[in-house]
Amino acid sequence: MEGTPNKCYFRFLFTVADIFPLELHSFCTLVHNYILNSTQLLPYESELFTCAVQGTRDPLFLTGVTFPPEYPIYEETKIKLTVYDVKDKSQDTVKINDDRNFLGLATFKVGDLVKSKEQQLTLTLRTSDGGKTVGTIDVSFVKMGEIEEGEVDHITTDVQGQKCALVCECTAPEGISGEKILEFVPINLHLQRMHVHSPRLKDALYDVITVGAPAAHYQGFKNGGLRKLLSKFEAERRNTGYQCIYYSPENTAKAKEVLSNINHLQPLISSHADQLLNSASQHSPDSLKNSLKMLSEKTELFVHAFKDQLVRSALLALYTARPGCVLKKPTVPRNSVEGSGDPQGQDHPSQIKRQNSIPHHSEYDEEEWDRVWTNVGKSLNCIIAMVDRLLEKDNSSNGIKESENDPSSADHMVSHTSGDWYEQLYPLIITLKDCMGEVVTRAKQSMTFVLLQELACGLPQHLMLTLRRDIVFSQALAGLVCGFIIKLHTSLHDQGFLQQLHTVGLIVQYEGLLSTYSEEIGMLEDMAVGISDLQKVTFKIIEAKSNDFLPVITGRREHYVIEVKLSAKMFELLPQEIKEGKQLHVYPVLFNVGINEQQTLAERFGDTTLQESVNQENFELLKEYYKLFTEKMPPDCLPHFQEQNDLKRLLENLHQNIQTKKRKNVEIMWVAATICRKLNGIRFTCCKSAKDRTSMSVTLEQCSILRDEHQLHKDFFIRALDCMRREGCRIENVLKNIKCRKYAFNMIQLMAFPKYYRPPEGTYGKADT
């Protein structure tokens, strides 16, 4: 340190803990710099500044202080910390001699801190007389970043006139509106397109969607984000003292699926049954066969949907929840109700025992449900057997008719046979509908019971979580639809991409730049859940019938279908599978690496496990997509420079980087972005507002593409990077947002950024955001 005060910035972190009393309105720490004067042998005291953490009753918090070059620091320099409890929130400063809210003070020598193990000291916070202990302060030394050759002058210039550099960035937010009316709307959603022209190579387009992190910004992150809140909610439900039954999220999803199948299949089966009767009345053998085929297919799907153990167990739980319930042992062996229908009439409807609803008497047969849903299959078997007999008789009667010449006799026989078909099938159809109705009634009751248990275990909290999840999902979905439509329009002549789209689906990669410190932890938790929920979305491309090309969203929370409209000319370019309405799947993945000064705090003193787990989980999803891609797509579907071996090597590289415990490992983002582009995917880049950190990332990505794919010489890399950040569309995006062409960074923050994520001189500074 000695002799090189201008070579780097130094930040000290103060952790104030175990304060008595605990209920503080806010903390205020006064920092004084004592410089030992060798001639006077007396300390010189200068008040540097006051830093406060407002609105907290938590006795444990972190705040940081940076000493710029005009405050020289030596090993003998002494630092005094004074802590106050500020009850008056309108009070901007605290006088040193204000004893009303004084809590305690502590002092230390810089040399003692620097030479200590792990450069950290635990100090005792004492009263002014040095007697009573009122708490502790942990002081840590953080070197924010070495200044490279040639940078000293411009850093000194930047801090000229700033008598005291306050660095408590956790209380200076990057800033986002909040207006409640806009909470479902994505933040700063933009398409950034780089169009590369080359005299020797084919022109190329590179698109990145930039958007603020999908999160419930208006609701805030005081209690964390969705990932934490949902986990806590599930744990509370398991251990709840309420009179309710815990069903896992998988079971509640299954219940919704069963109800959806009921609503879809029941009207179809009724329609096909009516069509079968209509064919019988017309005495049309071919139509009868076709109608029976459709009826059989849909009924089999219907029966299969209720074989799930959840329905059976939920019916039992529903009945046992009633007062005075007594269970009785099954009187009919299970194998007796699972046999197939007998063409000779063994499963005639008179032998099918039906019950209108769940019994209200005091006994309940656990096997009752099995008999109920198998009755539907037996009814269908009776209909199939009857149709076979009718067609067999019809063939015989046709042979008799050919030997007779009396027209009146033939007409009489056709009329009699036609009536006979309808009359014999009608009671069987009624029985099928009755049995199906009984199944539907019970299944709806049981599945509704399952869903009600979820609500009963925490209705208010559940509704708030649902609202938060809807807000985050809405923001994420808007960006996804934007990206999908843009990718579709730019790839209509790429047959490999179109084949990939309907055969495998589309990879959608999100790059997050959020830190795992303070409120951005909650943002990342929200974002991770919102992006994961996009797996419930499929796309369907239809031909536009008018000039209205706006996408249409249908479905429920469990599954959304986005209908994208194309003009007739564009629609004709699509493969037949897509034209016929095949639903197209998306595979969203998220990789996050914090790059700012708050991530420095998280890595040194906080927790980065959220980022690590998110990256690992999404790597597994990406690997699954790659496996699916290699199984279903031919090797020549990708351009020649995007070979399978190259993708495999990149995946291995990504996995190694995720496993490596390296601070601010931005290579994770670089490799993930490259894999996405090579897999014809959609790229998103997100930070809190998609304005500052996002700008640094997308410009770096563009220059990297120019270097790797379009022969940009390495000597011009930094020049191109600075040009994009100074003159390109990103500074225009900043102007659009805050009416000022300044990225919202200061020099202290930028010392913590990786080198290639720092903007050029003159493009950053103090700006409201």
Side-chain angles (χ1 to χ4, degrees), residues 712-731:
L712 175 67
H713 196 278
K714 63 179 182 179
D715 293 344
F716 296 98
F717 184 88
I718 297 298
R719 186 186 300 181
L721 189 61
D722 286 350
C723 180
M724 286 182 181
R725 291 170 176 174
R726 191 189 304 276
E727 308 293 341
C729 64
R730 294 317 306 183
I731 204 71

Side-chain angles (χ1 to χ4, degrees), residues 112 181 471 733:
D112 294 339
I181 194 174
I471 290 169
N733 179 274

